[in-house]
mmCIF file of all heavy atoms in Angstrom:
data_model
loop_
_atom_site.group_PDB
_atom_site.id
_atom_site.type_symbol
_atom_site.label_atom_id
_atom_site.label_comp_id
_atom_site.label_asym_id
_atom_site.label_seq_id
_atom_site.Cartn_x
_atom_site.Cartn_y
_atom_site.Cartn_z
ATOM 1 N N ILE A 1 -7.451 2.841 110.938
ATOM 2 C CA ILE A 1 -6.913 4.058 111.561
ATOM 3 C C ILE A 1 -7.450 4.203 112.975
ATOM 4 O O ILE A 1 -6.700 4.537 113.909
ATOM 5 C CB ILE A 1 -7.268 5.289 110.702
ATOM 6 C CG1 ILE A 1 -6.527 5.222 109.365
ATOM 7 C CG2 ILE A 1 -6.931 6.591 111.435
ATOM 8 C CD1 ILE A 1 -6.954 6.275 108.363
ATOM 9 N N ALA A 2 -8.743 3.938 113.156
ATOM 10 C CA ALA A 2 -9.337 4.031 114.493
ATOM 11 C C ALA A 2 -8.682 3.046 115.459
ATOM 12 O O ALA A 2 -8.586 3.323 116.662
ATOM 13 C CB ALA A 2 -10.837 3.772 114.411
ATOM 14 N N ASP A 3 -8.209 1.914 114.920
ATOM 15 C CA ASP A 3 -7.516 0.921 115.751
ATOM 16 C C ASP A 3 -6.060 1.286 116.014
ATOM 17 O O ASP A 3 -5.344 0.549 116.703
ATOM 18 C CB ASP A 3 -7.571 -0.458 115.089
ATOM 19 C CG ASP A 3 -8.978 -1.041 115.068
ATOM 20 O OD1 ASP A 3 -9.811 -0.592 115.877
ATOM 21 O OD2 ASP A 3 -9.244 -1.915 114.226
ATOM 22 N N GLY A 4 -5.597 2.366 115.410
ATOM 23 C CA GLY A 4 -4.225 2.823 115.647
ATOM 24 C C GLY A 4 -3.180 2.102 114.821
ATOM 25 O O GLY A 4 -2.005 2.081 115.189
ATOM 26 N N THR A 5 -3.590 1.512 113.681
ATOM 27 C CA THR A 5 -2.624 0.816 112.824
ATOM 28 C C THR A 5 -2.573 1.492 111.455
ATOM 29 O O THR A 5 -3.586 1.995 110.958
ATOM 30 C CB THR A 5 -3.005 -0.663 112.635
ATOM 31 O OG1 THR A 5 -4.333 -0.756 112.087
ATOM 32 C CG2 THR A 5 -2.984 -1.385 113.978
ATOM 33 N N VAL A 6 -1.397 1.471 110.843
ATOM 34 C CA VAL A 6 -1.272 2.006 109.490
ATOM 35 C C VAL A 6 -2.211 1.213 108.588
ATOM 36 O O VAL A 6 -2.159 -0.024 108.573
ATOM 37 C CB VAL A 6 0.187 1.887 108.988
ATOM 38 C CG1 VAL A 6 0.297 2.407 107.555
ATOM 39 C CG2 VAL A 6 1.127 2.666 109.901
ATOM 40 N N PRO A 7 -3.079 1.889 107.820
ATOM 41 C CA PRO A 7 -4.137 1.160 107.090
ATOM 42 C C PRO A 7 -3.685 0.561 105.766
ATOM 43 O O PRO A 7 -4.248 0.827 104.707
ATOM 44 C CB PRO A 7 -5.191 2.261 106.864
ATOM 45 C CG PRO A 7 -4.380 3.508 106.726
ATOM 46 C CD PRO A 7 -3.236 3.351 107.697
ATOM 47 N N TRP A 8 -2.651 -0.269 105.830
ATOM 48 C CA TRP A 8 -2.165 -0.914 104.622
ATOM 49 C C TRP A 8 -2.855 -2.254 104.406
ATOM 50 O O TRP A 8 -3.027 -3.035 105.346
ATOM 51 C CB TRP A 8 -0.659 -1.153 104.717
ATOM 52 C CG TRP A 8 0.161 0.098 104.580
ATOM 53 C CD1 TRP A 8 -0.265 1.311 104.122
ATOM 54 C CD2 TRP A 8 1.544 0.242 104.898
ATOM 55 N NE1 TRP A 8 0.771 2.211 104.132
ATOM 56 C CE2 TRP A 8 1.891 1.588 104.599
ATOM 57 C CE3 TRP A 8 2.518 -0.611 105.396
ATOM 58 C CZ2 TRP A 8 3.179 2.082 104.793
ATOM 59 C CZ3 TRP A 8 3.801 -0.124 105.579
ATOM 60 C CH2 TRP A 8 4.130 1.215 105.277
ATOM 61 N N ALA A 9 -3.191 -2.508 103.151
ATOM 62 C CA ALA A 9 -3.702 -3.830 102.788
ATOM 63 C C ALA A 9 -2.556 -4.797 102.560
ATOM 64 O O ALA A 9 -2.720 -6.004 102.680
ATOM 65 C CB ALA A 9 -4.563 -3.728 101.529
ATOM 66 N N GLY A 10 -1.372 -4.279 102.208
ATOM 67 C CA GLY A 10 -0.223 -5.126 101.959
ATOM 68 C C GLY A 10 0.999 -4.308 101.605
ATOM 69 O O GLY A 10 0.935 -3.093 101.424
ATOM 70 N N SER A 11 2.128 -4.988 101.517
ATOM 71 C CA SER A 11 3.385 -4.346 101.122
ATOM 72 C C SER A 11 4.280 -5.406 100.505
ATOM 73 O O SER A 11 4.045 -6.609 100.674
ATOM 74 C CB SER A 11 4.078 -3.705 102.329
ATOM 75 O OG SER A 11 4.467 -4.694 103.266
ATOM 76 N N GLU A 12 5.315 -4.964 99.784
ATOM 77 C CA GLU A 12 6.246 -5.900 99.186
ATOM 78 C C GLU A 12 7.604 -5.243 99.020
ATOM 79 O O GLU A 12 7.707 -4.022 98.859
ATOM 80 C CB GLU A 12 5.741 -6.372 97.815
ATOM 81 C CG GLU A 12 5.584 -5.269 96.791
ATOM 82 C CD GLU A 12 5.066 -5.774 95.463
ATOM 83 O OE1 GLU A 12 4.955 -7.003 95.291
ATOM 84 O OE2 GLU A 12 4.767 -4.938 94.588
ATOM 85 N N THR A 13 8.633 -6.045 99.101
ATOM 86 C CA THR A 13 9.996 -5.595 98.817
ATOM 87 C C THR A 13 10.318 -5.941 97.374
ATOM 88 O O THR A 13 10.046 -7.056 96.916
ATOM 89 C CB THR A 13 11.003 -6.279 99.758
ATOM 90 O OG1 THR A 13 10.679 -5.937 101.111
ATOM 91 C CG2 THR A 13 12.415 -5.812 99.451
ATOM 92 N N ILE A 14 10.876 -4.990 96.657
ATOM 93 C CA ILE A 14 11.147 -5.168 95.236
ATOM 94 C C ILE A 14 12.455 -5.945 95.068
ATOM 95 O O ILE A 14 13.488 -5.571 95.627
ATOM 96 C CB ILE A 14 11.250 -3.807 94.530
ATOM 97 C CG1 ILE A 14 10.018 -2.959 94.837
ATOM 98 C CG2 ILE A 14 11.418 -3.991 93.032
ATOM 99 C CD1 ILE A 14 8.720 -3.601 94.480
ATOM 100 N N SER A 15 12.407 -7.011 94.285
ATOM 101 C CA SER A 15 13.604 -7.808 94.023
ATOM 102 C C SER A 15 14.543 -7.049 93.090
ATOM 103 O O SER A 15 14.154 -6.065 92.444
ATOM 104 C CB SER A 15 13.236 -9.147 93.384
ATOM 105 O OG SER A 15 12.747 -8.944 92.069
ATOM 106 N N ALA A 16 15.788 -7.526 92.994
ATOM 107 C CA ALA A 16 16.757 -6.886 92.102
ATOM 108 C C ALA A 16 16.263 -6.912 90.666
ATOM 109 O O ALA A 16 16.416 -5.937 89.915
ATOM 110 C CB ALA A 16 18.107 -7.586 92.219
ATOM 111 N N GLN A 17 15.658 -8.032 90.242
ATOM 112 C CA GLN A 17 15.138 -8.131 88.877
ATOM 113 C C GLN A 17 13.986 -7.154 88.658
ATOM 114 O O GLN A 17 13.914 -6.471 87.626
ATOM 115 C CB GLN A 17 14.664 -9.556 88.600
ATOM 116 C CG GLN A 17 14.071 -9.777 87.211
ATOM 117 C CD GLN A 17 15.091 -9.650 86.094
ATOM 118 O OE1 GLN A 17 16.278 -9.848 86.327
ATOM 119 N NE2 GLN A 17 14.633 -9.314 84.899
ATOM 120 N N GLU A 18 13.085 -7.072 89.629
ATOM 121 C CA GLU A 18 11.968 -6.139 89.509
ATOM 122 C C GLU A 18 12.458 -4.693 89.506
ATOM 123 O O GLU A 18 11.904 -3.841 88.795
ATOM 124 C CB GLU A 18 10.985 -6.356 90.664
ATOM 125 C CG GLU A 18 10.200 -7.653 90.567
ATOM 126 C CD GLU A 18 9.440 -7.964 91.843
ATOM 127 O OE1 GLU A 18 9.906 -7.565 92.936
ATOM 128 O OE2 GLU A 18 8.380 -8.604 91.759
ATOM 129 N N HIS A 19 13.498 -4.411 90.285
ATOM 130 C CA HIS A 19 14.057 -3.060 90.312
ATOM 131 C C HIS A 19 14.608 -2.689 88.935
ATOM 132 O O HIS A 19 14.378 -1.574 88.446
ATOM 133 C CB HIS A 19 15.156 -2.964 91.370
ATOM 134 C CG HIS A 19 15.860 -1.651 91.384
ATOM 135 N ND1 HIS A 19 15.249 -0.480 91.794
ATOM 136 C CD2 HIS A 19 17.128 -1.301 91.019
ATOM 137 C CE1 HIS A 19 16.100 0.525 91.677
ATOM 138 N NE2 HIS A 19 17.243 0.051 91.222
ATOM 139 N N LEU A 20 15.325 -3.616 88.314
ATOM 140 C CA LEU A 20 15.856 -3.362 86.973
ATOM 141 C C LEU A 20 14.715 -3.096 85.995
ATOM 142 O O LEU A 20 14.779 -2.157 85.183
ATOM 143 C CB LEU A 20 16.685 -4.555 86.507
ATOM 144 C CG LEU A 20 17.173 -4.525 85.054
ATOM 145 C CD1 LEU A 20 18.046 -3.298 84.792
ATOM 146 C CD2 LEU A 20 17.933 -5.809 84.719
ATOM 147 N N GLU A 21 13.667 -3.892 86.072
ATOM 148 C CA GLU A 21 12.530 -3.699 85.178
ATOM 149 C C GLU A 21 11.874 -2.336 85.397
ATOM 150 O O GLU A 21 11.498 -1.655 84.431
ATOM 151 C CB GLU A 21 11.512 -4.827 85.388
ATOM 152 C CG GLU A 21 12.023 -6.195 84.942
ATOM 153 C CD GLU A 21 11.108 -7.328 85.346
ATOM 154 O OE1 GLU A 21 10.115 -7.059 86.066
ATOM 155 O OE2 GLU A 21 11.382 -8.482 84.957
ATOM 156 N N GLU A 22 11.757 -1.923 86.656
ATOM 157 C CA GLU A 22 11.148 -0.626 86.936
ATOM 158 C C GLU A 22 12.024 0.518 86.440
ATOM 159 O O GLU A 22 11.520 1.519 85.919
ATOM 160 C CB GLU A 22 10.869 -0.478 88.436
ATOM 161 C CG GLU A 22 9.722 -1.331 88.918
ATOM 162 C CD GLU A 22 9.264 -0.957 90.315
ATOM 163 O OE1 GLU A 22 9.914 -0.106 90.956
ATOM 164 O OE2 GLU A 22 8.244 -1.508 90.760
ATOM 165 N N VAL A 23 13.336 0.403 86.616
ATOM 166 C CA VAL A 23 14.250 1.427 86.103
ATOM 167 C C VAL A 23 14.024 1.626 84.609
ATOM 168 O O VAL A 23 13.950 2.757 84.107
ATOM 169 C CB VAL A 23 15.714 1.045 86.390
ATOM 170 C CG1 VAL A 23 16.683 1.922 85.584
ATOM 171 C CG2 VAL A 23 16.022 1.178 87.876
ATOM 172 N N ILE A 24 13.887 0.527 83.882
ATOM 173 C CA ILE A 24 13.677 0.595 82.432
ATOM 174 C C ILE A 24 12.313 1.188 82.109
ATOM 175 O O ILE A 24 12.189 2.122 81.301
ATOM 176 C CB ILE A 24 13.819 -0.802 81.805
ATOM 177 C CG1 ILE A 24 15.267 -1.293 81.926
ATOM 178 C CG2 ILE A 24 13.371 -0.788 80.340
ATOM 179 C CD1 ILE A 24 15.439 -2.761 81.572
ATOM 180 N N MET A 25 11.260 0.657 82.732
ATOM 181 C CA MET A 25 9.899 1.096 82.401
ATOM 182 C C MET A 25 9.684 2.572 82.701
ATOM 183 O O MET A 25 9.004 3.278 81.944
ATOM 184 C CB MET A 25 8.882 0.245 83.164
ATOM 185 C CG MET A 25 8.772 -1.176 82.665
ATOM 186 S SD MET A 25 7.388 -2.084 83.400
ATOM 187 C CE MET A 25 7.910 -2.200 85.101
ATOM 188 N N LEU A 26 10.245 3.048 83.792
ATOM 189 C CA LEU A 26 10.069 4.444 84.155
ATOM 190 C C LEU A 26 10.939 5.357 83.298
ATOM 191 O O LEU A 26 10.491 6.402 82.822
ATOM 192 C CB LEU A 26 10.403 4.642 85.640
ATOM 193 C CG LEU A 26 9.504 3.891 86.628
ATOM 194 C CD1 LEU A 26 10.054 4.006 88.045
ATOM 195 C CD2 LEU A 26 8.081 4.416 86.581
ATOM 196 N N GLY A 27 12.178 4.960 83.067
ATOM 197 C CA GLY A 27 13.115 5.823 82.363
ATOM 198 C C GLY A 27 12.752 6.088 80.925
ATOM 199 O O GLY A 27 12.954 7.204 80.418
ATOM 200 N N VAL A 28 12.195 5.088 80.223
ATOM 201 C CA VAL A 28 11.926 5.280 78.795
ATOM 202 C C VAL A 28 10.645 6.062 78.546
ATOM 203 O O VAL A 28 10.261 6.277 77.396
ATOM 204 C CB VAL A 28 11.878 3.942 78.026
ATOM 205 C CG1 VAL A 28 13.234 3.253 78.076
ATOM 206 C CG2 VAL A 28 10.770 3.040 78.536
ATOM 207 N N ARG A 29 9.984 6.514 79.602
ATOM 208 C CA ARG A 29 8.819 7.393 79.432
ATOM 209 C C ARG A 29 9.208 8.869 79.471
ATOM 210 O O ARG A 29 8.377 9.735 79.209
ATOM 211 C CB ARG A 29 7.787 7.116 80.526
ATOM 212 C CG ARG A 29 7.114 5.765 80.428
ATOM 213 C CD ARG A 29 5.987 5.644 81.434
ATOM 214 N NE ARG A 29 4.910 6.577 81.158
ATOM 215 C CZ ARG A 29 3.869 6.323 80.368
ATOM 216 N NH1 ARG A 29 3.778 5.161 79.749
ATOM 217 N NH2 ARG A 29 2.923 7.228 80.184
ATOM 218 N N LEU A 30 10.455 9.159 79.802
ATOM 219 C CA LEU A 30 10.861 10.537 80.070
ATOM 220 C C LEU A 30 11.704 11.133 78.952
ATOM 221 O O LEU A 30 12.519 10.435 78.338
ATOM 222 C CB LEU A 30 11.654 10.602 81.372
ATOM 223 C CG LEU A 30 10.895 10.276 82.652
ATOM 224 C CD1 LEU A 30 11.850 10.220 83.826
ATOM 225 C CD2 LEU A 30 9.788 11.292 82.904
ATOM 226 N N ARG A 31 11.531 12.439 78.750
ATOM 227 C CA ARG A 31 12.351 13.157 77.777
ATOM 228 C C ARG A 31 13.821 13.128 78.182
ATOM 229 O O ARG A 31 14.714 13.073 77.330
ATOM 230 C CB ARG A 31 11.875 14.602 77.661
ATOM 231 C CG ARG A 31 12.595 15.402 76.576
ATOM 232 C CD ARG A 31 12.199 16.876 76.596
ATOM 233 N NE ARG A 31 12.753 17.573 75.446
ATOM 234 C CZ ARG A 31 12.112 17.800 74.310
ATOM 235 N NH1 ARG A 31 10.862 17.382 74.167
ATOM 236 N NH2 ARG A 31 12.697 18.447 73.315
ATOM 237 N N GLU A 32 14.092 13.161 79.507
ATOM 238 C CA GLU A 32 15.479 13.102 79.968
ATOM 239 C C GLU A 32 16.094 11.741 79.697
ATOM 240 O O GLU A 32 17.315 11.584 79.713
ATOM 241 C CB GLU A 32 15.563 13.435 81.452
ATOM 242 C CG GLU A 32 14.878 12.440 82.350
ATOM 243 C CD GLU A 32 14.661 12.949 83.761
ATOM 244 O OE1 GLU A 32 14.260 14.116 83.930
ATOM 245 O OE2 GLU A 32 14.894 12.164 84.700
ATOM 246 N N GLY A 33 15.233 10.751 79.465
ATOM 247 C CA GLY A 33 15.684 9.448 79.021
ATOM 248 C C GLY A 33 16.089 8.493 80.130
ATOM 249 O O GLY A 33 16.102 8.817 81.315
ATOM 250 N N LEU A 34 16.393 7.297 79.708
ATOM 251 C CA LEU A 34 16.849 6.228 80.585
ATOM 252 C C LEU A 34 18.374 6.231 80.583
ATOM 253 O O LEU A 34 19.004 5.911 79.564
ATOM 254 C CB LEU A 34 16.321 4.880 80.080
ATOM 255 C CG LEU A 34 16.897 3.614 80.709
ATOM 256 C CD1 LEU A 34 16.577 3.558 82.201
ATOM 257 C CD2 LEU A 34 16.364 2.375 79.984
ATOM 258 N N ALA A 35 18.969 6.631 81.689
ATOM 259 C CA ALA A 35 20.429 6.678 81.777
ATOM 260 C C ALA A 35 20.978 5.256 81.739
ATOM 261 O O ALA A 35 20.607 4.414 82.567
ATOM 262 C CB ALA A 35 20.851 7.386 83.054
ATOM 263 N N ILE A 36 21.845 4.987 80.781
ATOM 264 C CA ILE A 36 22.404 3.639 80.654
ATOM 265 C C ILE A 36 23.189 3.264 81.909
ATOM 266 O O ILE A 36 23.202 2.107 82.332
ATOM 267 C CB ILE A 36 23.274 3.539 79.392
ATOM 268 C CG1 ILE A 36 22.407 3.788 78.153
ATOM 269 C CG2 ILE A 36 23.935 2.160 79.289
ATOM 270 C CD1 ILE A 36 23.174 3.839 76.845
ATOM 271 N N ALA A 37 23.812 4.257 82.548
ATOM 272 C CA ALA A 37 24.538 3.993 83.795
ATOM 273 C C ALA A 37 23.596 3.468 84.874
ATOM 274 O O ALA A 37 23.981 2.610 85.687
ATOM 275 C CB ALA A 37 25.241 5.261 84.271
ATOM 276 N N ASP A 38 22.351 3.959 84.902
ATOM 277 C CA ASP A 38 21.377 3.463 85.882
ATOM 278 C C ASP A 38 21.027 2.010 85.591
ATOM 279 O O ASP A 38 20.843 1.204 86.516
ATOM 280 C CB ASP A 38 20.109 4.326 85.862
ATOM 281 C CG ASP A 38 20.318 5.711 86.444
ATOM 282 O OD1 ASP A 38 21.341 5.927 87.126
ATOM 283 O OD2 ASP A 38 19.446 6.580 86.225
ATOM 284 N N VAL A 39 20.908 1.679 84.307
ATOM 285 C CA VAL A 39 20.612 0.291 83.943
ATOM 286 C C VAL A 39 21.779 -0.611 84.337
ATOM 287 O O VAL A 39 21.584 -1.700 84.900
ATOM 288 C CB VAL A 39 20.336 0.181 82.428
ATOM 289 C CG1 VAL A 39 20.041 -1.270 82.050
ATOM 290 C CG2 VAL A 39 19.170 1.074 82.039
ATOM 291 N N GLU A 40 22.994 -0.146 84.070
ATOM 292 C CA GLU A 40 24.172 -0.947 84.430
ATOM 293 C C GLU A 40 24.264 -1.152 85.934
ATOM 294 O O GLU A 40 24.600 -2.241 86.411
ATOM 295 C CB GLU A 40 25.438 -0.252 83.911
ATOM 296 C CG GLU A 40 25.554 -0.275 82.397
ATOM 297 C CD GLU A 40 26.759 0.502 81.884
ATOM 298 O OE1 GLU A 40 27.123 1.519 82.534
ATOM 299 O OE2 GLU A 40 27.336 0.104 80.863
ATOM 300 N N ARG A 41 23.934 -0.104 86.683
ATOM 301 C CA ARG A 41 23.980 -0.208 88.148
ATOM 302 C C ARG A 41 22.953 -1.232 88.630
ATOM 303 O O ARG A 41 23.237 -2.054 89.500
ATOM 304 C CB ARG A 41 23.724 1.166 88.758
ATOM 305 C CG ARG A 41 23.986 1.255 90.255
ATOM 306 C CD ARG A 41 23.784 2.678 90.764
ATOM 307 N NE ARG A 41 24.624 3.633 90.041
ATOM 308 C CZ ARG A 41 24.179 4.565 89.213
ATOM 309 N NH1 ARG A 41 22.874 4.677 88.984
ATOM 310 N NH2 ARG A 41 25.010 5.394 88.619
ATOM 311 N N ALA A 42 21.750 -1.170 88.061
ATOM 312 C CA ALA A 42 20.699 -2.107 88.463
ATOM 313 C C ALA A 42 20.996 -3.520 87.991
ATOM 314 O O ALA A 42 20.693 -4.498 88.678
ATOM 315 C CB ALA A 42 19.350 -1.640 87.932
ATOM 316 N N ALA A 43 21.619 -3.639 86.801
ATOM 317 C CA ALA A 43 21.920 -4.968 86.253
ATOM 318 C C ALA A 43 23.174 -5.565 86.861
ATOM 319 O O ALA A 43 23.363 -6.793 86.846
ATOM 320 C CB ALA A 43 22.067 -4.876 84.734
ATOM 321 N N GLY A 44 24.072 -4.715 87.366
ATOM 322 C CA GLY A 44 25.298 -5.191 87.985
ATOM 323 C C GLY A 44 26.406 -5.505 87.010
ATOM 324 O O GLY A 44 27.363 -6.198 87.364
ATOM 325 N N HIS A 45 26.288 -4.992 85.776
ATOM 326 C CA HIS A 45 27.359 -5.237 84.809
ATOM 327 C C HIS A 45 27.300 -4.172 83.718
ATOM 328 O O HIS A 45 26.271 -3.503 83.529
ATOM 329 C CB HIS A 45 27.241 -6.636 84.187
ATOM 330 C CG HIS A 45 25.931 -6.890 83.500
ATOM 331 N ND1 HIS A 45 25.639 -6.419 82.236
ATOM 332 C CD2 HIS A 45 24.825 -7.567 83.912
ATOM 333 C CE1 HIS A 45 24.425 -6.796 81.899
ATOM 334 N NE2 HIS A 45 23.906 -7.499 82.896
#
C-alpha cells in the first residue's frame, strides 16, 4: 500500500467449468435452493 499498489498476492479468472462447480456448491447450501436454470445456463445445455 505504501508503494501505491493494490496489495494483492494473486488473482485468477474462473473457467467455465469452475463457474459451473461454484454455482452448484453455493446454491445447494441455501434454503432458496439451486435454480436448475442457473445450472443450465452455466452448463450451456
Side-chain angles (χ1 to χ4, degrees):
I1 293 172
D3 292 339
T5 57
V6 178
W8 287 346
S11 64
E12 62 181 353
T13 299
I14 308 304
S15 69
Q17 179 67 25
E18 289 169 330
H19 175 69
L20 173 59
E21 293 171 355
E22 288 193 354
V23 167
I24 293 169
M25 289 189 293
L26 297 172
V28 296
R29 292 187 65 89
L30 294 173
R31 185 186 188 96
E32 65 195 43
L34 169 63
I36 298 175
D38 289 345
V39 179
E40 291 176 327
R41 190 177 304 112
H45 58 79

